[in-house]
Amino acid sequence: KQWYQRRVRGDKISNVVITFKEDFGTAGRAGYFDTSGIIRDVMQNHLLQILCLVAMERPVSVDASDIRDEKVKVLKFVKPLELDDVITGQYVANPDGKTEDARTGYKEDPGVPADSKTPTYAVAKMYIDNDRWAGVPFILKCGKALNERKAEIRIQFKDTPSDIFGNTCRRNELVIRVQPSEAVYCKMNVKSPGMSFNTVESELNLSYHDRFEGLDLPDAYERLILDFILGSQTNFVRTDELAEAWRIFTPLLHKLDAGEKDPVEYMYGSRGPAEADRFVRDLGFAFSGTYKWTEKK
């Protein structure tokens, strides 16, 4: 707790990236999805909930009211989003796809109008203008028909002011992986084994299924149904929290619905639009591509 409170602050953090990726398309839900889009479907609710949990201050207790009070405080510090704060995308067919779904673009799905501008991918930036997080971009990314299934929070620390290893050290990161294979790990630089003074990327790792063998972790909706049965409101949105969430997103959604920003096309099975990578890079996110996660055998 003290480690997190002292180090996860604006003067130590470069950016926070919250990602939700699905490796399939609308899968028969196109009729519903085209009336909502990825921002309403995922970002405005699921990702914003995660943002609140990451950024909130310590509540007075674990009581549902105290936790939700702190979540609302976070949202009150966030300004409404503008068109320049987002990049939207829409997937197209991959002619080399291995499945029929992959060879079907979004507009080719039955129920989707040929001129649809509904985004199936979005990345947005927002800032929490309080003492802890001032100046730190929170980057929310979500999309369908991408290259993998993943949900995670990635807190990227700032570069070391003076790198004695010839600027070869990559950024340290605290990663909370929600799915698949739940884990919390700190990605860091260590001296390579042996006589060399070179550095390599490694991690301090807590993988739930490795540490707690035989543990049956419930799915998200299983947990929510149980909370409902038990009368626990901790993981449910309160009315004032919902109002703040819509205050942040509604002006943007109205402009997108009016066609003021066209989605960028990206191929089914890709990382998403190239413009999205440039967008997050301009916000300070550093992607090296050199780190390899090793699953325990």
Side-chain angles (χ1 to χ4, degrees):
K1 179 179 70 177
Q2 290 183 352
W3 183 92
Y4 187 89
Q5 289 288 336
R6 293 176 181 177
R7 287 164 179 79
V8 181
R9 303 185 61 88
D11 59 339
K12 303 287 194 305
I13 303 300
S14 172
N15 56 80
V16 179
V17 182
I18 301 173
T19 302
F20 181 88
K21 301 170 72 174
E22 292 181 328
D23 56 1
F24 55 88
T26 48
R29 296 173 61 236
Y32 154 76
F33 189 86
D34 199 65
T35 63
S36 57
I38 196 69
I39 295 178
R40 289 185 177 93
D41 193 40
V42 176
M43 184 178 289
Q44 180 272 337
N45 41 56
H46 300 292
L47 296 195
L48 201 63
Q49 285 289 297
I50 294 176
L51 178 146
C52 290
L53 293 172
V54 171
M56 73 182 194
E57 297 295 329
R58 187 182 69 176
V60 175
S61 73
V62 295
D63 182 78
S65 295
D66 291 333
I67 292 174
R68 296 195 289 181
D69 284 345
E70 294 302 328
K71 291 166 65 182
V72 173
K73 288 179 184 178
V74 170
L75 296 180
K76 287 182 178 293
F77 282 108
V78 179
K79 296 178 181 178
L81 295 178
E82 302 289 344
L83 286 176
D84 290 341
D85 296 326
V86 299
I87 298 290
T88 59
Q90 189 181 87
Y91 71 85
V92 297
N94 183 347
D96 299 322
K98 297 180 179 180
T99 66
E100 184 64 28
D101 191 45
R103 295 189 294 271
T104 303
Y106 176 70
K107 291 180 182 177
E108 298 162 0
D109 201 331
V112 177
D115 59 349
S116 173
K117 294 184 179 182
T118 299
T120 61
Y121 176 97
V123 54
K125 64 176 179 180
M126 55 182 62
Y127 292 89
I128 302 170
D129 296 325
N130 61 12
D131 290 342
R132 179 181 295 276
W133 296 109
V136 177
F138 278 72
I139 304 167
L140 277 56
K141 299 168 57 179
C142 54
K144 290 184 172 294
L146 297 173
N147 60 328
E148 61 182 333
R149 170 179 172 264
K150 180 172 72 173
E152 71 172 23
I153 304 104
R154 186 172 295 266
I155 301 173
Q156 193 169 81
F157 292 86
K158 291 181 178 179
D159 292 319
T160 303
S162 178
D163 183 358
I164 64 174
F165 294 100
N167 295 320
T168 60
C169 290
R170 308 299 184 184
R171 281 186 177 172
N172 297 326
E173 294 179 341
L174 173 61
V175 182
I176 303 170
R177 191 171 60 204
V178 181
Q179 66 178 23
S181 304
E182 297 88 342
V184 180
Y185 63 93
C186 289
K187 195 182 82 174
M188 59 181 58
N189 299 271
V190 300
K191 178 186 172 299
S192 60
M195 301 299 292
S196 170
F197 271 94
N198 295 331
T199 61
V200 295
E201 292 173 282
S202 187
E203 70 281 327
L204 294 176
N205 170 30
L206 168 60
S207 293
Y208 277 65
H209 287 286
D210 293 338
R211 176 63 179 84
F212 307 105
E213 295 184 7
L215 180 65
D216 183 20
L217 292 174
D219 290 335
Y221 288 108
E222 287 182 288
R223 177 63 181 270
L224 287 176
I225 292 172
L226 179 60
D227 286 346
F228 171 76
I229 294 172
L230 297 176
S232 173
Q233 297 179 321
T234 302
N235 292 313
F236 292 88
V237 178
R238 201 168 60 189
T239 304
D240 55 346
E241 183 180 348
L242 185 63
E244 288 296 325
W246 283 118
R247 175 188 62 81
I248 294 168
F249 280 95
T250 296
L252 169 68
L253 289 169
H254 284 171
K255 293 176 182 178
L256 292 176
D257 291 343
E260 296 185 27
K261 190 182 188 79
D262 292 336
V264 182
E265 291 185 347
Y266 65 96
M267 185 175 291
Y268 191 118
S270 67
R271 284 172 42 84
E275 289 84 347
D277 286 335
R278 290 194 290 270
F279 181 81
V280 299
R281 187 168 60 245
D282 290 344
L283 291 171
F285 178 75
F287 176 72
S288 65
T290 56
Y291 174 75
K292 301 295 182 183
W293 172 268
T294 302
E295 292 285 356
K296 181 179 179 181
K297 297 182 180 179

